[in-house]
Amino acid sequence: MCDFRFLRSKNLSMPAAHRPAPFHPDLAEVLLTEVQIKKRIKTLAREIKSVYGNREFTIVSLINGAVMFTADLMREIDNPVRLDCIRVSSYGLKTKSIGAPQVIHSLTLDIARRDVLVIDDILDTGKTLKLVCALVRKLKPASLRTCVLLDKKARREVALEADFVGFEIPDKFVVGYGLDFAERYRNLSGIGVLKPEKQNAGDWASE
Ligand code: IMP
Ligand code: MG
């Protein structure tokens, strides 16, 4: 079962008796339900708004993983927001990152002298966000901040913390709400841990 001590902040710990049952048969446990995510996104939007005020800013969303998070977060913010997306190489058929991530598709908007907020689904080793921040910085934005829905602090390999964090989670491979395993399960409305027997990429590789 999930150790909810890791959901330390924001009043998210949940007594064992109230932990939700898995909402998908392939999940061993649920970390975050759709309701919990939506609730946290509302407060996260207020935190972001308190920094930018009513000013315009540019969101750089890391696709595919941050698609759902970005869409829901943006709609809680009434600033004149610009949106661009960037695609970085993914884990492929693995549950651990290997080697250095690479930018596969870069930005199209001009972000020079703009306030930029980079959004990703999860901060794990930190290599992906570090790469994207370096790329953005080269384009001379007025400011650069980062926002992630999930933070797996235990796995960090580079010194990097996000400015805005939705939830801190334990070191478990999670899927749902944009996060995938071998490109599957992004469509789940909540976030959970796959059953070990479902973490076999070979099952998907031949399809
Ligand atoms: P990092 O470069 O190690 O920080 O990894 C960040 C990227 O790895 C995220 O954008 C995700 O796409 C992916 N990732 C890391 N942990 C998970 C996970 O538990 N489930 C699904 N994807 C993950
Ligand atoms: Mg990703």
Side-chain angles (χ1 to χ4, degrees), residues 26-29 95 181 193-201 203:
D26 292 354
L27 296 182
E29 62 179 273
T95 58
F181 173 65
V193 181
L194 268 186
K195 286 179 178 167
E197 65 267 28
K198 295 289 172 186
Q199 294 190 20
N200 181 3
D203 291 349

Side-chain angles (χ1 to χ4, degrees), residues 18-91:
H18 297 113
R19 283 176 199 159
F23 48 76
H24 190 282
D26 292 354
L27 296 182
E29 62 179 273
V30 177
L31 279 193
L32 297 162
T33 64
E34 183 177 9
V35 171
Q36 287 174 301
I37 295 170
K38 294 279 162 70
K39 194 173 165 203
R40 177 67 186 116
I41 284 178
K42 280 187 194 297
T43 59
L44 205 48
R46 285 201 289 275
E47 288 170 31
I48 291 170
K49 181 109 180 149
S50 75
V51 170
Y52 291 105
N54 292 324
R55 294 201 315 277
E56 173 191 296
F57 60 95
T58 302
I59 288 176
V60 170
S61 176
L62 273 72
I63 54 174
N64 294 327
V67 161
M68 290 197 200
F69 177 41
T70 304
D72 286 341
L73 183 63
M74 280 180 79
R75 284 178 292 177
E76 294 296 330
I77 294 168
D78 58 3
N79 299 43
V81 161
R82 300 160 85 227
L83 172 67
D84 205 348
C85 295
I86 191 165
R87 187 185 290 273
V88 177
S89 56
S90 75
Y91 283 13

Side-chain angles (χ1 to χ4, degrees), residues 91 97 120-128 152 172-174 179-180:
Y91 283 13
S97 77
D120 201 5
D121 49 3
I122 185 165
L123 183 51
D124 188 27
T125 64
K127 291 178 197 166
T128 304
K152 266 195 224 173
K172 294 183 178 187
F173 191 81
V174 294
L179 293 129
D180 72 305

Side-chain angles (χ1 to χ4, degrees), residues 65-200:
V67 161
M68 290 197 200
F69 177 41
T70 304
D72 286 341
L73 183 63
M74 280 180 79
R75 284 178 292 177
E76 294 296 330
I77 294 168
D78 58 3
N79 299 43
V81 161
R82 300 160 85 227
L83 172 67
D84 205 348
C85 295
I86 191 165
R87 187 185 290 273
V88 177
S89 56
S90 75
Y91 283 13
L93 301 175
K94 305 268 185 319
T95 58
K96 301 274 183 224
S97 77
I98 32 157
Q102 288 179 331
V103 174
I104 294 171
H105 194 280
S106 195
L107 300 171
T108 49
L109 289 184
D110 183 3
I111 57 166
R113 298 177 302 281
R114 307 284 183 159
D115 292 310
V116 173
L117 179 65
V118 173
I119 299 184
D120 201 5
D121 49 3
I122 185 165
L123 183 51
D124 188 27
T125 64
K127 291 178 197 166
T128 304
L129 214 50
K130 187 182 172 193
L131 174 80
V132 172
C133 287
L135 183 151
V136 168
R137 261 189 217 105
K138 277 191 196 149
L139 300 170
K140 307 271 182 243
S143 69
L144 169 60
R145 292 185 179 85
T146 52
C147 174
V148 293
L149 178 64
L150 307 176
D151 186 357
K152 266 195 224 173
K153 273 201 192 312
R155 296 215 349 116
R156 201 77 86 254
E157 289 179 24
V158 300
L160 195 151
E161 296 303 329
D163 296 291
F164 306 98
V165 174
F167 304 92
E168 210 177 296
I169 64 162
D171 180 11
K172 294 183 178 187
F173 191 81
V174 294
V175 296
Y177 196 71
L179 293 129
D180 72 305
F181 173 65
E183 294 301 330
R184 273 70 173 192
Y185 305 107
R186 292 194 197 274
N187 52 313
L188 304 190
S189 56
I191 294 172
V193 181
L194 268 186
K195 286 179 178 167
E197 65 267 28
K198 295 289 172 186
Q199 294 190 20
N200 181 3

